[in-house]
Amino acid sequence: MNEWTRQQPGAGSVDDLRYAAGLRRSKAETLRGTTVPAVERAATAAGAQWSSVTAVAFTGAVAATTADIQNLVNSLEIDAAALDRYATTIEQIAGESHALEAKARGIHSDVGSWNRSLDRLTAEAATPGAPLGPSSEIARVDDLLEGAASKLALIEAQRDELVARRESADRECIASLTGLESRGQLGRMDAISTETTPAAALALLAGLSAAEIRAALAMNPNLADLVARAAPEDVAAWWTGYNLDGDAGTPASEHLALIAAMPAVIGNLGGVAYWARDKANRIQLAAEIKAAKADIARTRAEAATQRPYAVNLELPQQKLDALLNIKDALDTRSGVERQLVGLTDDNPPLAQIAVGDLDSAENVTYAIPGMSATTADMSGWTAAAQNLYLAQHAVDGGTAHSVVAWVGYETPPVPGYPDFNFGVLHGDYADTGAGNLIRDLEGFNATREGRDVSLNVVGHSYGTTTATLALYRSDLNVDAFVSIGSAGIEPVIGTADSVQADTFYAGQAQDVIPQLEAGNGDQWAWTGREGSGRANPMDDSFGATTFGTNGIDGDPAKNPVTDHSTTMKAPDFGYLDRRTESLSNVAFATTGQPERMSVQTPPQMTDTQRMLLEGMRGPSL
């Protein structure tokens, strides 16, 4: 309550009180407007993407908080009314107190004047031979002073009444606002400011119930941004803290509230369990697809009233196509679970899809793509990840596996008409991608703190440039790094020993000339290395453990790689196609079985290369 005294029973800022009341009404209105949309989003995503049991459980859990939030709305409105009443009472008390103070000052002024007159009259009356006049005048002044005393006594009584009214108003307001404590710790949300740290934001949320979490996030838009910047280890401790009173792995109602309230944040937040990130990202994916379709429809409608050539649908359509491809990539293939563990709002969006349960896997591999890979073909990169997953399971069946199709950075395009972008020959894309990969692997490690898990990274093409830069910069507890079809390793790294992985493996198909020798080997990896001056991890001086990719004669399960890609249609084979020597060796490398890997046999020059070399030498004499 505002500080006040007996002399100033109306002290306090009425404006501040009314502002606080208005703020609570505004928060109540915000909560009222967010409750139904959150439930609708959850229901839409659940019905479209999840199993019926999970959908019903999640939608029910989110909907169950609606009544609690309505109670919070009612309480906030009650608080606002109480603060308004309190402000009005203080305003009235202050007005009456000021009037009494003014009256008292006037009486005290008169009393002072009368006392001076009394002193003068008393002195005159004491003079020998003084007339009787002063005596009668003294009596009159005494009567005035007595009347003034009575008036001052009445003012004090009236002041006591104002004090009693103020005390009563304080008690009434306190009684109304004590409900805030009974509703939990929402009052702490007022402490959020530009100086609040991400760790402090997590601590503020930690003590709230599911309904309070949704309320706090609705009333404090900056809170979600603070959570998004929190360190993975802090997030992991905060997230698992909600399960302390329940069974391990059982979603708490607070988890479900966080997913519904800020899916875009939870879906990409390092340290959060991957089942939750999957559910959050599916909600966000459904919302993004709906928004992209609406954007295209709106643009087409505008085109009807404008010149058609002034309307460009290329970018909105590009984003929608990528989002739909991500959705398609989530369809379960071969009965293997898929989780959407990363999704951004870029155009095209970045995404990560785990093949297998990323929360329970004992062996995890992140697959990093290279040149021209985008989520416009998320289904293709996820298919390559599943090929590796199935190959791992075939050679290490007693272990739970997961392979993450990680399209977590913008990759350089294939240079050529109409986009002569030669970014593949430079390190800018790799520099950004390395930072993103470090962040995501740190997030993974935070979720597995204290648990035994094997972590591996596979890079293809320019993805080897990106991944090795990340592992050079940070120790991420990686067991094996596997390079396939490398576009080259940045010179700053030097040798395999500088890459912070227990073992560095490298495989490279036969180098062939683009166009002229299509279908005979890798036509692009060597051009990326030669054009950039980056190191070839296959060179003996680099120090990697090399393995075979060019096929084993007579073995139909060990076909040679015939293209730079990871997957191809028959009769060609990419680095991660089934029934290739390459995929078999990558599976052995990422499951800790190097003794089963086949060695690299130095490829011979092709007939075309031999003919070109002889042509450059000229006819022999």
Side-chain angles (χ1 to χ4, degrees):
M1 296 299 106
N2 296 280
E3 293 185 4
W4 56 274
T5 65
R6 185 179 182 282
Q7 293 303 313
Q8 292 183 318
S13 174
V14 171
D15 288 342
D16 286 349
L17 288 169
R18 286 186 172 142
Y19 174 79
L23 191 61
R24 281 162 173 76
R25 285 198 179 88
S26 176
K27 290 179 177 180
E29 190 60 33
T30 299
L31 287 177
R32 189 181 290 108
T34 58
T35 300
V36 173
V39 175
E40 289 178 346
R41 287 196 304 271
T44 298
Q49 301 282 4
W50 306 341
S51 66
S52 58
V53 174
T54 305
V56 171
F58 179 71
T59 306
V62 174
T65 64
T66 301
D68 291 336
I69 289 181
Q70 185 57 53
N71 288 336
L72 288 173
V73 169
N74 294 340
S75 297
L76 286 167
E77 290 176 339
I78 290 171
D79 289 350
L83 289 169
D84 275 338
R85 287 196 305 272
Y86 185 51
T88 298
T89 300
I90 290 176
E91 193 171 43
Q92 292 170 346
I93 291 173
E96 294 177 31
S97 177
H98 291 155
L100 288 177
E101 186 65 26
K103 186 182 292 186
R105 284 197 303 270
I107 293 173
H108 281 296
S109 177
D110 289 342
V111 167
S113 177
W114 294 332
N115 278 327
R116 287 191 296 275
S117 295
L118 184 62
D119 290 342
R120 178 178 54 79
L121 291 170
T122 301
E124 290 177 358
T127 302
L132 295 175
S135 297
S136 60
E137 186 63 19
I138 289 173
R140 187 184 70 81
V141 173
D142 282 339
D143 288 341
L144 290 172
L145 289 172
E146 185 177 342
S150 297
K151 290 178 181 179
L152 288 174
L154 178 59
I155 288 174
E156 289 304 308
Q158 291 173 326
R159 196 187 305 279
D160 288 341
E161 182 183 345
L162 292 181
V163 168
R165 284 169 59 189
R166 179 59 186 264
E167 290 174 340
S168 176
D170 284 357
R171 287 194 298 271
E172 180 184 345
C173 189
I174 290 172
S176 296
L177 296 182
T178 50
L180 183 63
E181 294 302 321
S182 67
R183 294 196 302 277
Q185 303 172 58
L186 278 180
R188 297 187 303 165
M189 294 299 106
D190 293 332
I192 294 175
S193 69
T194 55
E195 297 180 359
T196 303
T197 65
L202 294 179
L204 286 170
L205 282 171
L208 303 182
S209 68
E212 290 167 341
I213 286 170
R214 286 178 57 195
L217 289 164
M219 291 187 293
N220 297 273
N222 292 337
L223 187 55
D225 293 335
L226 287 169
V227 171
R229 300 203 305 269
E233 58 270 21
D234 292 338
V235 171
W238 163 69
W239 184 263
T240 56
Y242 286 117
N243 268 340
L244 293 179
D245 295 330
D247 297 332
T250 302
S253 59
E254 291 85 353
H255 289 153
L256 302 179
L258 287 161
I259 292 169
M262 49 177 182
V265 172
I266 295 299
N268 298 282
L269 190 57
V272 167
Y274 289 100
W275 68 262
R277 291 177 62 166
D278 174 48
K279 286 174 169 45
N281 284 324
R282 288 175 189 258
I283 290 175
Q284 194 64 22
L285 178 63
E288 291 283 348
I289 290 173
K290 182 178 179 180
K293 289 180 177 178
D295 185 28
I296 291 173
R298 182 173 57 255
T299 304
R300 284 178 175 160
E302 291 172 354
T305 60
Q306 300 175 11
R307 290 167 294 184
Y309 61 80
V311 177
N312 189 348
L313 288 172
E314 182 178 356
L315 289 178
Q317 189 63 51
Q318 181 186 62
K319 184 168 186 177
L320 177 59
D321 290 344
L323 291 167
L324 292 174
N325 197 275
I326 293 170
K327 180 181 179 182
D328 178 66
L330 287 170
D331 287 345
T332 301
R333 268 78 166 180
S334 303
V336 181
E337 178 182 1
R338 292 187 175 186
Q339 298 172 316
L340 183 58
V341 297
L343 178 69
T344 74
D345 62 355
D346 299 278
N347 189 8
L350 303 178
Q352 305 168 49
I353 292 180
V355 179
D357 186 345
L358 193 53
D359 286 308
S360 62
E362 302 161 282
N363 180 287
V364 171
T365 302
Y366 276 72
I368 316 304
M371 181 177 67
S372 78
T374 73
T375 51
D377 187 30
M378 192 70 198
S379 56
W381 188 239
T382 308
Q386 179 147 321
N387 284 349
L388 178 55
Y389 170 90
L390 294 173
Q392 289 173 335
H393 183 72
V395 300
D396 188 33
T399 301
H401 296 273
S402 181
V403 179
V404 180
W406 189 85
V407 185
Y409 76 118
E410 181 185 359
T411 63
V414 176
Y417 182 81
D419 185 4
F420 293 99
N421 182 332
F422 288 89
V424 70
L425 303 181
H426 305 288
D428 294 345
Y429 290 90
D431 183 64
T432 300
N436 294 350
L437 182 58
I438 290 171
R439 178 201 62 210
D440 287 335
L441 292 182
E442 286 177 343
F444 173 78
N445 286 329
T447 67
R448 294 306 191 90
E449 184 66 31
R451 297 167 61 186
D452 186 20
V453 60
S454 173
L455 177 60
N456 311 281
V457 176
V458 173
H460 169 250
S461 183
Y462 192 83
T464 68
T465 312
T466 299
T468 51
L469 199 56
L471 300 184
Y472 167 73
R473 291 175 177 171
S474 185
D475 185 356
L476 298 163
N477 301 316
V478 171
D479 293 285
F481 172 72
V482 182
S483 164
I484 47 177
S486 177
I489 311 302
E490 291 286 10
V492 67
I493 293 175
T495 67
D497 289 339
S498 297
V499 175
Q500 299 181 81
D502 289 350
T503 310
F504 190 126
Y505 297 97
Q508 172 67 53
Q510 168 86 41
D511 291 334
V512 296
I513 301 171
Q515 306 303 324
L516 289 179
E517 298 181 295
N520 291 300
D522 189 328
Q523 72 276 38
W524 293 120
W526 69 272
T527 63
R529 296 192 300 269
E530 294 298 323
S532 66
R534 293 189 290 257
N536 184 352
M538 298 297 292
D539 290 344
D540 290 341
S541 59
F542 187 77
T545 299
T546 60
F547 58 86
T549 61
N550 292 316
I552 297 178
D553 290 341
D555 189 339
K558 302 291 176 63
N559 285 287
V561 171
T562 61
D563 191 88
H564 179 65
S565 302
T566 51
T567 57
M568 295 289 291
K569 292 182 179 180
D572 291 317
F573 293 94
Y575 283 97
L576 294 178
D577 265 320
R578 302 177 72 176
R579 297 183 295 110
T580 59
E581 181 188 16
S582 172
L583 178 65
S584 174
N585 282 328
V586 174
F588 288 136
T590 53
T591 56
Q593 303 179 75
E595 70 282 356
R596 300 179 67 181
M597 299 172 69
S598 58
V599 298
Q600 172 78 346
T601 55
Q604 302 297 315
M605 284 193 298
T606 65
D607 292 340
T608 301
Q609 293 168 5
R610 191 175 295 107
M611 289 173 56
L612 289 172
L613 181 60
E614 290 175 355
M616 286 186 292
R617 289 173 177 170
S620 58
L621 299 177

